[in-house]
Amino acid sequence: MPGTLSTDRAAVVKNEPSSSHCLPKFQAALSRSKPPSDNDGARVLYLVDTLNVGGTETQMVQTALRLRSTSHHITVGCLHAKGPLLEVLQQADIPVVEFRKKKTLLSVNGVYQLMRLALFLRQGQFHVIHAHDLWANLLGVPAGRLARTPVIISSRRYLADLEWYTFWKNKTIRTIYYLSTHIIVNSASVRQLLVERDRLSPEKIHVIYNGVDVDRFAGARGDREGLLGSFGSGSKLIAVVANMYSRVKGHACLIEASRIVCRSVPSAKFVLIGDGAERRKLEQQVRQAGLEENFLFLGHRQDVPELLSCCDLSVLPSEAEAMPNSVLESMAAGLPVVATRVGGTPEIIVHGVDGLLVPPQDSQALAQAMLHVLQDADFARRLSRSGQEKMQTHFGFDRLIAQLEQLYSNAVLGMKDFRGVSHSDVVLLDQQSQPLREKN
């Protein structure tokens, strides 16, 4: 799902594109990652696959930005140092180092990056490695074990298994979870999956809900005409913030439901924010339904708060979700929300109180819920007011930061002794990088 940035640094500098060439060399990054010895906070390495704009990546960057003001020292590692979020981290002066993955981690290059990461952790005397996604788990947890990093955190932030998963690969990721000291999930539904299917200890799994910048979304003011042109004039606008990488987000069901909605409310128009491989099929489905005038495909956007402020309703018709950022962001923006009763979504919405829940893959139920909100202004206002209040009290970043600080502070208290690694070892390993990369 396309996440959003609650910072003025969201824009990428156009005349100086972000790339790994802008990153400091291994030793320079190591020097920046190791604060003075009198710093009593945890030294934490965040590890993520890329720095493209997505739910996981945006949550990671938002958290790193906020932890700057604490005693903890954050460094970000990534397997591909590319994407708009790289610029955000660099402008915030947060160290970024790349451990570049080729096609697979099961290769000479993969082993090299594993050893390089382990050395970086050991030499930097990190208290914590916190891996945020699948590939980061696979590289970061073994490296943390090799480096004897005291706290090794893996993450699972989704319910639907990715295409990567097979029987044997599932066993691999299960082993990775066992090797972790903590597992962070973003909903109780994900925790239940890991306990029941993977037989993981419940005590090892920490539910930390996603955070949302409530002030950023509540305070956004959008210009309908400026952002949407004539499309928004006199319309009831329905926002759908979701990627289009697979059918799991339920766009096809939404388009079916829109036939019913548009017959009853001809002014209803759908603003689709997000992109992916399914977009062309969805555009074709809209054309076949004769609804071209009722749909606007915007692709990836950085101005989601402003776009949401232009809309009257937000819908998420997913077939599977862990903790959907689009629901949190829409509620923070003060929009009534209709979403499917899947995964962690019922942990956010109480049906009829701060949103409406419908069964997945049920276009009729989805349409009726949308019509209920669009045709009853008082009911819509009650949902939006209650939803926004819940975001302020239960889903702010202050709560997320406090929970993470608890884990990180415990890591400092339990810090183990590190055996020294010589400066020459680090330089030698970094010098070997280029020939290995060329070979793979």
Side-chain angles (χ1 to χ4, degrees):
M1 182 195 93
T4 57
L5 297 175
S6 58
T7 171
D8 292 337
R9 301 185 184 90
V12 179
V13 178
K14 296 188 184 325
N15 60 358
E16 187 180 347
S18 298
S19 74
S20 58
H21 299 297
C22 303
L23 298 179
K25 296 295 184 182
F26 186 94
Q27 182 61 27
L30 185 61
S31 299
R32 292 185 59 206
S33 300
K34 191 173 180 181
S37 58
D38 59 354
N39 185 318
D40 60 356
R43 293 188 289 279
V44 184
L45 179 69
Y46 278 179
L47 191 65
V48 71
D49 186 8
T50 76
L51 292 171
N52 290 319
V53 178
T56 293
E57 296 85 353
T58 300
Q59 285 285 312
M60 183 274 293
V61 170
Q62 292 285 9
T63 303
L65 292 173
R66 286 165 172 79
L67 282 168
R68 283 182 309 164
S69 61
T70 70
S71 61
H72 305 302
H73 189 85
I74 306 296
T75 299
V76 173
C78 50
L79 281 63
H80 299 89
K82 62 180 182 181
L85 299 179
L86 174 58
E87 185 74 20
V88 177
L89 293 168
Q90 290 177 326
Q91 290 192 18
D93 200 32
I94 293 174
V96 179
V97 61
E98 184 181 60
F99 302 93
R100 190 168 185 81
K101 178 180 80 70
K102 299 294 184 179
K103 292 183 179 180
T104 176
L105 290 175
L106 192 61
S107 64
V108 173
N109 174 263
V111 173
Y112 165 72
Q113 296 299 342
L114 174 66
M115 299 305 296
R116 185 168 177 262
L117 175 55
L119 182 59
F120 189 82
L121 290 167
R122 190 67 176 269
Q123 181 72 358
Q125 298 184 3
F126 284 90
H127 302 88
V128 180
I129 178 170
H130 182 165
H132 283 76
D133 55 31
L134 172 64
W135 294 109
N137 288 340
L138 291 169
L139 183 68
V141 172
R145 282 284 181 166
L146 285 172
R148 299 182 186 175
T149 305
V151 173
I152 303 168
I153 299 174
S154 58
S155 304
R156 174 147 179 152
R157 304 176 56 83
Y158 50 89
L159 273 175
D161 281 339
L162 309 176
E163 291 182 2
W164 180 88
Y165 285 87
T166 64
F167 175 77
W168 291 108
K169 289 179 178 178
N170 262 326
K171 293 190 71 171
T172 300
I173 194 64
R174 190 178 299 121
T175 300
I176 291 294
Y177 292 142
Y178 277 113
L179 292 173
S180 308
T181 53
H182 303 286
I183 305 162
I184 290 180
V185 298
N186 58 356
S187 72
S189 57
V190 178
R191 183 175 185 266
Q192 182 179 359
L193 174 73
L194 295 181
V195 171
E196 294 180 354
R197 188 185 72 178
D198 296 328
R199 301 291 187 262
L200 296 173
S201 169
E203 291 75 23
K204 194 174 188 175
I205 306 170
H206 304 263
V207 178
I208 300 182
Y209 289 133
N210 293 354
V212 61
D213 190 338
V214 179
D215 292 339
R216 172 75 174 93
F217 283 88
R221 293 294 178 266
D223 174 9
R224 269 199 180 193
E225 185 175 345
L227 290 171
L228 302 171
S230 61
F231 185 83
S233 178
S235 302
K236 291 283 189 179
L237 296 182
I238 302 164
V240 184
V241 185
N243 67 47
M244 300 175 184
Y245 298 129
S246 72
R247 294 181 58 86
V248 75
K249 291 296 182 179
H251 289 92
C253 180
L254 172 84
I255 296 169
E256 286 300 314
S258 71
R259 295 171 182 260
I260 302 171
V261 172
C262 293
R263 280 200 297 269
S264 298
V265 183
S267 62
K269 294 188 177 181
F270 295 81
V271 180
L272 273 56
I273 305 166
D275 215 333
E278 292 289 312
R279 176 171 173 172
R280 186 171 297 179
K281 295 179 184 177
L282 297 172
E283 289 174 331
Q284 182 179 3
Q285 185 182 355
V286 168
R287 285 192 296 271
Q288 290 173 344
L291 295 171
E292 297 98 319
E293 299 300 318
N294 297 87
F295 276 80
L296 181 63
F297 289 76
L298 291 179
H300 288 308
R301 296 291 290 254
Q302 297 287 347
D303 55 351
V304 175
E306 288 71 29
L307 288 168
L308 289 176
S309 72
C310 296
C311 296
D312 302 284
L313 170 64
S314 178
V315 178
L316 186 66
S318 298
E319 297 172 17
E321 286 289 349
M323 178 54 52
N325 285 323
S326 71
V327 169
L328 301 178
E329 293 169 352
S330 297
M331 293 171 73
L335 286 183
V337 174
V338 173
T340 43
R341 189 181 285 105
V342 294
T345 305
E347 298 172 45
I348 309 171
I349 293 175
V350 176
H351 179 67
V353 176
D354 39 37
L356 291 179
L357 295 172
V358 299
Q361 299 178 294
D362 188 336
S363 58
Q364 182 73 31
L366 182 62
Q368 292 306 316
M370 287 190 282
L371 287 172
H372 188 181
V373 176
L374 293 173
Q375 295 174 333
D376 189 337
D378 289 338
F379 179 62
R381 278 192 291 271
R382 288 198 301 273
L383 293 183
S384 62
R385 186 164 50 247
S386 179
Q388 195 169 53
E389 289 174 358
K390 178 176 281 188
M391 292 303 102
Q392 292 169 342
T393 56
H394 291 84
F395 289 91
F397 268 101
D398 289 346
R399 178 261 322 154
L400 182 150
I401 296 298
Q403 289 177 285
L404 288 176
E405 281 199 285
Q406 182 70 43
L407 285 179
Y408 298 164
S409 297
N410 289 343
V412 177
L413 295 174
M415 180 64 176
K416 299 177 181 178
D417 292 332
F418 281 80
R419 291 183 297 178
V421 179
S422 71
H423 171 84
S424 59
D425 287 338
V426 177
V427 173
L428 178 61
L429 185 59
D430 202 36
Q431 288 174 344
Q432 293 170 342
S433 170
Q434 190 61 37
L436 277 171
R437 288 178 181 176
E438 291 174 354
K439 184 177 179 180
N440 290 278

